[in-house]
């Protein structure tokens, strides 16, 4: 349990680090533009790419902490005894979707590495920039598997107690 919290904390710290770097870069850009009259060409582009990574890594983080926005109104329409099954089905659909996006994202990133060229200001390979999407979804998939495993082990433990 403690090891899992450490992994969650590492993901959270990575997201905080990305946000701090983005904020510092944008602050330097604004100061540079308005006080010194010139700006850096690469700051806006780097901030945009960091934001892509932040979005998808933080999506995995909120999956681990169960902080995603949920629509509980639809689940409450079902009888209480069926609601856990509906939640598991929802998690399975989410997991399949995450696997699909991971697969498509890695293929897209690999094709961008091969044919995509480089970003205009930084010269980064576009495939590296877009790797944030499949990596975020891969981490999310792992987190969903852990959640499903815990739900199944908890339901088995409850059946044994009854």
């Amino acid at each position: 349990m403690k090891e899992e919290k450490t992994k969650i904390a590492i993901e959270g710290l990575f997201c905080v680090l990305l946000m701090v770097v983005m904020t510092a870069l944008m602050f330097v850009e604004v100061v540079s533009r308005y006080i010194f009259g010139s700006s850096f060409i690469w700051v806006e582009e780097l901030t945009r790419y960091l934001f892509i990574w932040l979005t998808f890594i933080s999506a995995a983080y909120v999956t681990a902490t169960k902080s995603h926005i949920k629509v509980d109104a639809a689940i409450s329409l079902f009888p209480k005894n069926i609601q856990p099954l509906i939640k598991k089905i929802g998690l399975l659909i989410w997991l399949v979707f995450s696997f699909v996006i991971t697969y498509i994202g890695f293929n897209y990133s690999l094709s961008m590495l091969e044919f995509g060229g480089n970003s205009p200001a930084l010269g980064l390979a576009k495939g590296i920039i877009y790797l944030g999407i499949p990596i975020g979804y891969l981490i999310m998939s792992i987190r969903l598997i852990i959640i499903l495993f815990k739900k199944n082990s908890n339901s088995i433990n409850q059946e044994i107690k009854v």
Side-chain angles (χ1 to χ4, degrees):
M1 183 73 167
K2 187 174 183 173
E3 180 181 318
E4 183 178 330
K5 286 190 178 199
T6 303
K7 289 179 185 174
I8 291 172
I10 290 171
E11 292 169 18
L13 286 174
F14 184 73
C15 292
V16 168
L17 177 69
L18 285 176
M19 185 62 102
V20 167
V21 169
M22 288 170 49
T23 303
L25 285 171
M26 290 309 292
F27 177 76
V28 167
E29 176 69 12
V30 169
V31 168
S32 173
R33 185 179 308 142
Y34 288 107
I35 293 179
F36 301 115
S38 67
S39 63
F40 301 102
I41 298 170
W42 52 271
V43 169
E44 189 233 330
E45 186 175 291
L46 179 60
T47 305
R48 187 176 339 123
Y49 299 150
L50 290 175
F51 187 70
I52 292 170
W53 278 78
L54 174 67
T55 300
F56 292 101
I57 301 298
S58 62
Y61 173 73
V62 297
T63 300
T65 59
K66 298 178 184 171
S67 303
H68 269 292
I69 296 173
K70 296 178 259 184
V71 181
D72 290 332
I75 293 173
S76 66
L77 295 174
F78 293 95
K80 292 269 189 213
N81 58 346
I82 298 177
Q83 288 179 7
L85 177 65
I86 300 299
K87 289 178 183 179
K88 283 181 188 177
I89 291 171
L91 285 172
L92 284 171
I93 292 169
W94 186 5
L95 178 62
V96 169
F97 178 77
S98 294
F99 278 145
V100 169
I101 297 298
T102 301
Y103 177 76
I104 291 171
F106 274 119
N107 283 341
Y108 182 73
S109 294
L110 290 175
S111 67
M112 290 299 284
L113 280 171
E114 192 173 346
F115 304 113
N118 297 331
S119 65
L122 292 170
L124 287 172
K126 289 184 181 178
I128 293 172
I129 296 164
Y130 292 113
L131 266 177
I133 298 168
I135 288 173
Y137 271 96
L138 177 64
I139 297 169
M140 186 185 300
S141 299
I142 292 167
R143 294 300 182 187
L144 287 168
I145 290 169
I146 291 169
I147 291 169
L148 280 166
F149 181 74
K150 282 184 178 180
K151 281 192 181 292
N152 284 336
S153 65
N154 286 343
S155 63
I156 290 171
N157 289 338
Q158 287 175 355
E159 288 175 10
I160 292 172
K161 288 179 184 177
V162 174

